[in-house]
Amino acid sequence: GALVYQYPRRTICKSGTSMRMECQAVGFQATSVAWYRQSPQKTFELIALSTVNSAIKYEQNFTQEKFPISHPNLSFSSMTVLNAYLEDRGLYLCGARSGTGPERLFFGHGTKLSVL
Amino acid sequence: QQQVRQSPQSLTVWEGETAILNCSYENSAFDYFPWYQQFPGEGPALLIAIRSVSDKKEDGRFTIFFNKREKKLSLHITDSQPGDSATYFCAANNNNNAPRFGAGTKLSVKP
């Protein structure tokens, strides 16, 4: 079956430091990968959508300078939270799908980021 | 980003009852509406989805009713079970975009 692994599951970083998180697709080709942040009081905020061989589309309020994303092949993507502060806390979810249409996303368990 | 709205925020039903979760959206270009189920500590998992060309989609105890004119849809869970207790997210997208999620409805099913 199709699975998505994210690691680390949990991480704590000091305010002002950076944190890299990874997303691995197993059993299918992750043509597109969407990164979301799920905050305790909010819903999923879409950060960006990455499609292999296409430019990464960032949502308003999220930038490449703050959340650089790498999507080098059809099974792996990573995102870094640069210069993390308290407002960056939350559960970062990676959703991957094969194809570029509106088909289902397979999500990982997420990376929970805490900032001290 | 809040283009998808859900209500109620939380819902409690007794085992065997029908739970009704509501969703509305703003962007008329949305044409695919997945519902995701999320248990604590896990990522969301696709439960059922409907395309805008349909007004109903059924899968076992789960049914989506869709009203394109009013931009509303609802998820009905019949014969609710305690194991259905989870947070349910309505999402919407179109073409090659990533889905936009609502704020979720936390469902509790009491035995």
Side-chain angles (χ1 to χ4, degrees):
Chain A
L3 293 171
V4 173
Y5 294 100
Q6 285 188 254
Y7 34 89
R9 287 288 296 267
R10 292 183 177 80
T11 186
I12 302 172
C13 68
K14 287 186 175 180
S15 181
T17 63
S18 300
M19 171 39 202
R20 181 171 180 262
M21 53 194 75
E22 300 181 345
C23 175
Q24 183 87 34
V26 177
F28 70 106
Q29 294 185 325
T31 305
S32 298
V33 174
W35 286 92
Y36 293 85
R37 179 172 67 197
Q38 188 177 27
S39 302
Q41 305 302 327
K42 299 179 184 177
T43 183
F44 297 80
E45 294 177 277
L46 176 62
I47 297 171
L49 175 66
S50 172
T51 302
V52 171
N53 297 325
S54 296
I56 299 172
K57 292 195 295 185
Y58 283 86
E59 289 295 301
Q60 195 173 12
N61 300 327
F62 295 96
T63 65
Q64 183 180 6
E65 290 69 33
K66 172 73 174 177
F67 300 94
I69 290 171
S70 172
H71 189 182
N73 56 53
L74 292 173
S75 63
F76 182 82
S77 177
S78 67
M79 184 178 74
T80 301
V81 181
L82 293 174
N83 201 17
Y85 286 100
L86 283 176
E87 59 265 28
D88 295 318
R89 292 173 301 174
L91 180 68
Y92 287 81
L93 287 160
C94 158
R97 67 185 178 207
S98 58
T100 55
E103 292 86 12
R104 66 184 295 178
L105 288 177
F106 294 95
F107 283 91
H109 283 82
T111 293
K112 186 175 182 180
L113 174 64
S114 299
V115 181
L116 300 179
Chain B
Q1 283 198 21
Q2 197 61 29
Q3 299 183 38
V4 179
R5 300 186 188 279
Q6 290 185 248
S7 64
Q9 192 172 14
S10 63
L11 176 65
T12 300
V13 299
W14 292 102
E15 183 176 357
E17 292 184 332
T18 296
I20 299 176
L21 291 65
N22 301 303
C23 179
S24 64
Y25 62 98
E26 297 176 1
N27 189 345
S28 57
F30 288 146
D31 59 9
Y32 179 72
F33 303 87
W35 284 83
Y36 284 83
Q37 181 188 54
Q38 186 179 30
F39 294 103
E42 298 184 9
L46 180 69
L47 183 66
I48 186 173
I50 192 168
R51 294 187 182 273
S52 60
V53 293
S54 302
D55 55 14
K56 182 180 176 181
K57 179 73 177 292
E58 195 169 350
D59 184 358
R61 297 184 295 108
F62 303 91
T63 302
I64 300 174
F65 292 94
F66 180 71
N67 185 323
K68 187 174 183 177
R69 183 178 62 83
E70 295 186 8
K71 298 181 187 173
K72 292 181 178 179
L73 60 159
S74 60
L75 174 67
H76 291 225
I77 306 174
T78 57
D79 188 24
S80 296
Q81 302 297 308
D84 296 330
S85 297
T87 300
Y88 292 81
F89 292 93
C90 171
N93 65 317
N94 66 301
N95 298 327
N96 59 349
N97 295 316
R100 310 288 174 157
F101 284 76
T105 293
K106 186 175 182 180
L107 174 66
S108 297
V109 181
K110 292 190 173 183

